[in-house]
Amino acid sequence: MRLKVEFTTEPFDLDEAPAHALVAREVIEAAELDAVDVGPFGNTAEGGADVVLPAVDALLRKALEAGATRVSLQVNVVEEGEA
C-alpha cells in the first residue's frame, strides 16, 4: 500500500524555522521515501506504508520533543499510478 502524508508543525515563525520544524524535516528527509516536498507552510511525503508509518511515528515524537505544540497530519492511500 502506498501512502501520502501531509503535515505541518506549529507554532509558526516566519523569520526563522523553529527547532521542531527542522527536526520534522530531518526525519522525513532521512526516511527512504519515494517523494518528499518540504515547504514553509506544509510538507508532503509519499512511499510504501512500511516506510511512511514509522516515519510518521518518528516525526510526531521528535517534533513534539523539540517544542511543537501542534502537529497537523493527514494520511491518504494513494492508488498505484496516481501522482
Side-chain angles (χ1 to χ4, degrees), residues 1 8 25 40 78 80:
M1 175 186 324
T8 57
R25 180 182 304 165
V78 178
E80 292 299 324

Side-chain angles (χ1 to χ4, degrees), residues 4-78:
K4 180 176 182 178
V5 60
E6 300 175 56
F7 68 92
T8 57
T9 62
E10 297 179 35
F12 293 115
D13 183 341
L14 296 177
D15 295 325
E16 184 176 337
H20 57 80
L22 296 175
V23 165
R25 180 182 304 165
E26 289 172 8
V27 168
I28 291 300
E29 289 178 340
E32 294 182 18
L33 297 161
D34 299 332
V36 175
D37 183 21
V38 176
F41 299 108
N43 310 282
T44 61
E46 190 174 315
D50 58 333
V51 178
V52 171
L53 295 175
V56 167
D57 177 61
L59 164 79
L60 291 170
R61 292 175 188 275
K62 291 184 178 186
L64 293 169
E65 288 172 2
T69 57
R70 178 179 180 152
V71 179
S72 299
L73 178 71
Q74 180 173 321
V75 179
N76 294 303
V77 174
V78 178

